[in-house]
Amino acid sequence: GRPHTPEFIHHPILLNASGEKMSKSNGDTGVRELRAAGVTAEDVIGRAAHTAGLIDRQRPIAASEIAQLFGG
């Protein structure tokens, strides 16, 4: 088991350039496709954080930094 119960947080809905909700069914690229194309996990997190408005510019973000983006 885990030593601590995990905490879950939710990000805002991600919108594309036209202001619509991002969706794989609309042809938006998913995490699996980005990783298969060689995009690092840190870059995927950074892209999502930037798209969600959590950071002002796109940059790599380590998984261990995510909670800080939500004030944790």
Side-chain angles (χ1 to χ4, degrees):
R2 296 178 183 216
H4 304 287
T5 304
E7 287 188 48
F8 296 95
I9 52 179
H10 297 276
H11 60 76
I13 292 176
L14 303 180
L15 304 176
N16 63 22
S18 21
E20 298 172 335
K21 177 184 163 194
M22 292 184 79
S23 166
K24 288 189 292 182
S25 63
N26 288 339
D28 295 310
T29 305
V31 171
R32 190 170 289 135
E33 290 82 12
L34 291 171
R35 296 290 286 132
V39 178
T40 66
E42 292 81 6
D43 283 331
V44 170
I45 294 168
R47 286 182 186 195
H50 181 257
T51 301
L54 297 172
I55 56 175
D56 59 353
R57 64 177 177 78
Q58 187 174 311
R59 62 177 173 83
I61 297 178
S64 60
E65 298 178 57
I66 296 172
Q68 297 169 17
L69 300 177
F70 290 88

